[in-house]
Amino acid sequence: MKTFGGPALFLDRNDINTDEIIPAKYLTENSKLALKPFILEDLKLPGFDPVRDTQGVGVVVTRSNFGCGSSREHAVWVFEVNDINVVIGESFARIFRQNMFNCGMPAIELGKDDLDALFGLGDKVEISIDIETETLTAKGNKEIACGFSLNSFDKDLVKAGGWLAYADKKY
Amino acid sequence: MGKTITEKIFETHRRDNPSRNNVVLNIDVVMCHEITTPIAVNDLQERGLDRVFDPNKIKVVIDHVTPSKDSKTATQAKILRDWARRQNIKDFFDIGANGVCHALFPEKGFIRPGYTVIMGDSHTCTHGAFGAFAAGIGTTDLEVGIFKGVCSFRLPETMKISIIGELPQGVYAKDVILKIIKELTVNGATDKVMEICGPVVDRMSMEARMTLCNMAIEAGATCGVCMPDRVTAEYLWPFIQDEYESIDAAVEDFKKWHSDADAKYVAELTLDVSDLVPQVTYGFKPDEVKDITELEGSRVDQVYMGSCTNGRIEDLRAGAEILKGKKIAPTVRGILSPATPKIYNQAMEEGLIKIYMDAGFCVTNPTCGACLGMSNGVLAEGEVCASTTNRNFNGRMGKGGMVHLMSPYSAAAAAVKGFITDPRKIV
C-alpha cells in the first residue's frame, strides 16, 4: 500500500473553506494538473505565502471544519497535484472528507490536545502515517507519536486507491 | 422505535453496508452541471468505462457559466453537451432552456418525496424541500453515480428544527435560515440532516422551503428536509397526475415518508420567528449574521438578485414590491438573474421585469455566474455586494470583494438606498 506523510504545512485556523483552497474561477480547468499553481491562493493567514509555503509539503495540518463550503473535489486535487497526500485536522466538512477518501487519501481527525502538540513542534516538522496500525509519528523540535482511528470503510477506500476502483469491483 | 424520514429513505434505498456506519444507496436522480461533471466524463472515457447506469435517471444542465465566457468554459459546456448526446440523456438543458440547476430541476418535476438525489454541487440539499434525501457530493462520487447509480454515505443523524410563531411582514424564509445558521454555526450540523418543520414551514410555499433547505449546507448539514404534504403535492401535480387519483391521494401516499412521532433526533431546536427582523451577514462566514438594523448605513456597490437560493418567482416579486416606482441609487449596480426561463417568462408576464428595468437593474439570463464570482457580475477588489445568494466567503464573488447575504426584499431596499437598510422602512 501507498505510504502517507511528508513535511508538514500548518494552517492554524478553523473553517478554512474550499474557495480559499481553490477559488471558483479556476474550476474552468479540465485537468487536475492545471490547478497546481493556484493552491490556497485566497487563504489569508499571518505570514502565509501560498506559493512559497507549499513547496515540498506532504501533509497539511489544520484545525476544525476544514474544507467547508462547496463540493468541489478540486480542493482535494489541488493538494494531490502538489504532492500533499494527507490532511490532519480536528474535524472536516463532510463532502471534503469524503472527497479525500474517494481519491484514496486519508483525512485524519485528531483530538485538540494531539493537534496542539503537532502545532507545538516548530516550523520544520516531518510527519509519517501508518494506516494499518493507525498511528502518526511527527518529528520536529522533538518526536511525538499518537494514534488515530479510521472508519473501516474509509480505510478500505484508501487501500483500494479510491471509491471508483472500489465501486467498480463491487457494484 | 420510530424512524425519521431520512432513515426511511435509507432503508428503502440500501444497496450495501460496507461497514457498520456506512451505507451505499441506490440513487434515483443523478444531476450534472458543466463545472464538476466534465472531469468525471473524461476520466470514465480514459478508463474505457464511458457508460451511464440509466440515461433516464441522469439530468444535465449547463448553468454555471452560460453562455460560455471564454474557450475554457466553452470546452466544459461542449464536453457535457457531447456526453449527454452520446449517452442519450434526454433531460439535457442547454442555452434557451437552461437555468440554475436547483431551480430548474424541481420545476421539471424531477424530484419526488422519498427520492435519493446527488449532484456535484453542495447546494443539492435544496431538493430536500420535497421530502427527498438530496446531497452534494464531489466529482468521484458523481462519477460512480453516473456509472453505477450508487453513492456511499455515513449514516446521518437528524436534527429537528421547528419553526413556530408567525412570520412578520418583510421577513422571509431567507431570514429564517440565516437565523438558524447563526444559531447552529457553520459546522453545527456536519454529518447531520436538518429536518425543518413546524407550523411556519407547513404554511410555506415550495419556493420558500427550497430557500430553507438550500442553505442547510452552510451549517455543514448533509441535507435539509421538509415533510412532503399538500403544498408538495400541488406543486408536483402536473407531473404525478397519472400516478394518483387525486391530490388527496398523493398527500395520503406522501405520509409514508413522514418522520414518526417517536423518531429519534440527535438534537432539537425550536425557533419562534414572531419577532424576527430581517437578517444579514456581516463577515466572511454564513454564520456571521446580525439583525439588519445593526448594519444600517453600510455601503454597497452592487446588488445581486438571483441564484438557487433566491432567484425564484416569489423572490422576484418580493424585490419588486420594494422597487416598484423607484430608482436604484446612482452609486449601485443592480443585477437580476431570474433562475430559470420559466421564472423569467412569468416575471415578464407579471410586469416584474419592467419594474426591475425601470428601477435601473440589468436583467441577465438565468445562470449561477456571479454567485461564485465566475461571470455576469464579478466584484472588484474592495467592492461590496448585497446579495440574495448563499455564500459570503472572502473573495466568493470576486477577489477582494465582500458579500452581505440577505433576502430579496432587503437586497432591493439596499439597491434603492445605496446602503444596507431596514426594508420595512422603505415601502
Side-chain angles (χ1 to χ4, degrees), chain B residues 324-357:
Chain B
K324 191 167 188 177
K326 296 192 186 70
K327 294 274 179 210
I328 64 174
T331 51
V332 167
R333 308 183 298 271
I335 301 170
L336 167 67
S337 173
T340 69
K342 185 182 171 192
I343 295 164
Y344 201 140
N345 261 314
Q346 199 175 343
M348 275 200 290
E349 283 164 14
E350 292 182 17
L352 305 178
I353 298 295
K354 183 160 169 52
I355 292 173
Y356 280 89
M357 291 187 76

Side-chain angles (χ1 to χ4, degrees), chain B residues 72-329:
Chain B
K72 281 183 178 168
T73 52
T75 303
Q76 288 184 304
K78 186 176 187 316
I79 293 170
L80 201 68
R81 188 179 294 125
D82 290 349
W83 171 69
R85 285 178 187 155
R86 190 165 74 238
Q87 300 297 345
N88 295 316
I89 296 168
K90 63 178 193 314
D91 292 316
F92 167 60
F93 302 91
D94 206 336
I95 288 179
N98 59 359
V100 176
C101 50
H102 308 307
L104 184 76
F105 292 149
E107 195 178 81
K108 299 288 177 191
F110 295 156
I111 316 301
R112 307 289 170 78
Y115 268 20
T116 51
V117 182
I118 58 168
M119 183 177 202
D121 190 287
S122 61
H123 293 107
T124 305
C125 49
T126 310
H127 308 284
F130 289 84
F133 175 76
I137 44 135
T139 293
T140 301
D141 271 335
L142 180 73
E143 189 171 345
V144 172
I146 287 168
F147 180 47
K148 296 282 183 182
V150 297
C151 194
S152 84
F153 290 95
R154 287 192 189 177
L155 273 173
E157 296 173 309
T158 299
M159 280 177 120
K160 184 175 185 173
I161 299 167
S162 309
I163 317 292
I164 62 166
E166 193 85 43
L167 265 185
Q169 185 276 328
V171 181
Y172 293 86
K174 181 64 159 286
D175 303 300
V176 174
I177 189 64
L178 285 173
K179 181 73 177 176
I180 292 171
I181 295 162
K182 179 185 186 177
E183 297 285 320
L184 296 180
T185 78
V186 288
N187 62 348
T190 300
D191 282 316
K192 297 179 183 68
V193 169
M194 280 165 61
E195 192 174 302
I196 313 175
C197 55
V200 174
V201 182
D202 294 340
R203 289 193 295 271
M204 279 181 176
S205 64
M206 286 315 298
E207 283 82 356
R209 292 179 192 181
M210 283 190 258
T211 301
L212 288 181
C213 290
N214 172 270
M215 290 190 71
I217 181 72
E218 309 312 332
T222 304
C223 181
V225 69
C226 299
M227 293 306 127
D229 59 6
R230 182 166 298 274
V231 178
T232 321
E234 282 172 1
Y235 183 100
L236 289 174
W237 188 243
F239 310 103
I240 59 174
Q241 51 188 346
D242 294 340
E243 294 164 41
Y244 295 101
E245 261 178 35
S246 63
I247 291 186
D248 286 340
V251 173
E252 205 44 44
D253 183 49
F254 289 174
K255 284 184 184 160
K256 69 181 178 220
W257 298 111
H258 285 201
S259 294
D260 297 327
D262 56 343
K264 193 168 151 262
Y265 295 96
V266 67
E268 298 196 33
L269 172 77
T270 301
L271 183 67
D272 187 336
V273 293
S274 302
D275 296 321
L276 187 67
V277 303
Q279 302 288 296
V280 57
T281 63
Y282 60 89
F284 293 121
K285 294 196 299 168
D287 61 356
E288 294 177 327
V289 175
K290 285 183 175 174
D291 290 352
I292 201 159
T293 45
E294 293 180 72
L295 266 86
E296 179 74 39
S298 197
R299 170 186 64 96
V300 302
D301 303 294
Q302 178 171 298
V303 172
Y304 183 74
M305 313 263 278
S307 84
C308 56
T309 316
N310 280 128
R312 300 187 183 85
I313 191 70
E314 286 184 0
D315 304 317
L316 273 54
R317 287 182 195 139
E321 210 180 302
I322 295 267
L323 294 170
K324 191 167 188 177
K326 296 192 186 70
K327 294 274 179 210
I328 64 174

Side-chain angles (χ1 to χ4, degrees), chain A residues 29 42 73 94 97 171, chain B residues 16 72 136 140 148 191 399:
Chain A
E29 300 293 347
D42 277 354
E73 200 160 306
R94 180 191 66 87
R97 182 190 65 215
Y171 304 111
Chain B
D16 187 20
K72 281 183 178 168
T140 301
K148 296 282 183 182
D191 282 316
K399 200 179 175 84

Side-chain angles (χ1 to χ4, degrees), chain A residues 19-68:
Chain A
D19 277 74
E20 292 171 306
I21 300 169
I22 182 81
K25 62 184 173 193
Y26 302 121
L27 305 187
T28 60
E29 300 293 347
N30 287 314
S31 89
K32 299 177 186 179
L33 204 58
L35 303 171
K36 194 173 180 190
F38 313 120
I39 182 170
L40 296 165
E41 187 179 274
D42 277 354
L43 181 65
K44 305 272 183 288
L45 288 176
F48 175 66
D49 179 316
V51 175
R52 180 194 67 204
D53 298 344
T54 54
Q55 297 299 318
V57 166
V59 181
V60 166
V61 184
T62 183
R63 296 292 184 177
S64 72
N65 197 31
F66 185 80
C68 61

